[in-house]
Amino acid sequence: MRRTYQGLVLVSVLALAPMTWAWLSSSEHRATAEGGGWPARVPAAQAALVLGAGLYGATPTPMLARRLDIAAELYQAGKVRALLLSGDNSRKDYDEPTVMRDYLRGKGVPDAVMVLDYAGFDTWDSCVRARKVFGAERVTVITQEFHLPRAVTLCRTAGLEAFGVGDDSVRRWASTTYVYAARELFATAKAFADAMILHSDPVYPGPREVSLTRILDQPGAPGA
């Protein structure tokens, strides 16, 4: 019985270690997009890295729409010069980045400051591609709060100076948030393996894109 108990304790510690890694690594680099004046708590960066979160046909899911709303607010507040929209376009009938761009157009964000990454198949791929493919150095990564520690930690591990802004989705979609938050235990374990053990390459590691750097080379780019 004692050995069984010790084994269970060991398994529990190993399971929680990646979550602890993500929380501690990101603890000083994240904020919540709630309350008046929240953009003032966000440091200026070169770009907002907006991570995909699913579509309903040609419409963003509510969680993705909220991420895009946050990105638009940061752009309009002068906190970022460019928006890097990273999502899944693995098949012709599913194109997250294009839907994200079209939604932001409706929020008044000009096409000239939006860059689309069609191969952001997961968080690690999005972070690595932001650094190695698009040449970003300082980003504000935007997602929901339950995902924020993993997203910020992965981006920083990928070589980005990353700060994260999260939507407090539990206030709007409590049951869905709890399901996704529970899944973070497994997702963070995979993320730890990809980033710290396997040093995995993204599905599509290149070629190098210059669209983001062209925007940032213009004078007056926040964080540039």
Side-chain angles (χ1 to χ4, degrees):
M1 289 293 292
R2 181 168 57 188
R3 288 182 178 177
T4 300
Y5 174 75
Q6 290 172 339
L8 290 173
V9 170
L10 178 60
V11 169
S12 298
V13 170
L14 291 175
L16 292 174
M19 292 291 289
T20 303
W21 163 72
W23 275 87
L24 292 180
S25 298
S26 65
S27 61
E28 297 181 359
H29 309 287
R30 56 182 197 256
T32 303
E34 295 290 343
W38 67 263
R41 302 193 297 271
V42 181
Q46 294 172 322
L49 173 59
V50 189
L51 304 175
L55 304 176
Y56 293 147
T59 303
T61 62
M63 285 192 178
L64 179 53
R66 180 60 186 140
R67 296 181 190 187
L68 296 167
D69 291 341
I70 292 169
E73 289 185 64
L74 288 176
Y75 172 74
Q76 291 157 2
K79 290 293 184 174
V80 296
R81 178 63 177 267
L83 280 69
L84 178 54
L85 312 177
S86 184
D88 185 350
N89 180 213
S90 57
R91 60 182 195 269
K92 289 183 178 180
D93 62 343
Y94 190 85
D95 186 349
E96 282 187 318
T98 297
V99 171
M100 293 161 75
R101 181 200 61 196
D102 293 346
Y103 181 93
L104 285 166
R105 280 176 177 167
K107 294 288 180 178
V109 178
D111 283 13
V113 303
M114 291 190 280
V115 177
L116 278 59
D117 176 9
Y118 295 97
F121 299 133
D122 63 17
T123 305
W124 177 241
D125 280 21
S126 293
C127 293
V128 173
R129 283 176 55 82
R131 181 71 187 96
K132 294 186 176 181
V133 175
F134 293 93
E137 296 177 354
R138 292 178 296 279
V139 302
T140 299
V141 58
I142 301 173
T143 183
Q144 268 69 41
E145 271 199 324
F146 63 81
H147 179 217
L148 202 57
R150 175 163 61 97
V152 171
T153 297
L154 286 179
C155 282
R156 295 183 72 83
T157 304
L160 292 161
E161 184 179 331
F163 189 89
V165 178
D167 163 48
D168 184 11
S169 57
V170 74
R171 294 163 60 93
R172 300 173 178 84
W173 312 289
S175 58
T176 303
T177 297
Y178 294 142
V179 170
Y180 285 144
R183 289 170 54 186
E184 279 297 298
L185 181 65
F186 304 99
T188 306
K190 178 184 180 298
F192 182 84
D194 282 337
M196 303 300 291
I197 300 173
L198 302 174
H199 305 289
S200 301
D201 288 328
V203 175
Y204 293 107
R208 186 66 180 262
E209 295 275 353
V210 298
S211 47
L212 180 62
T213 55
R214 282 176 178 167
I215 296 171
L216 298 178
D217 283 343
Q218 299 174 15

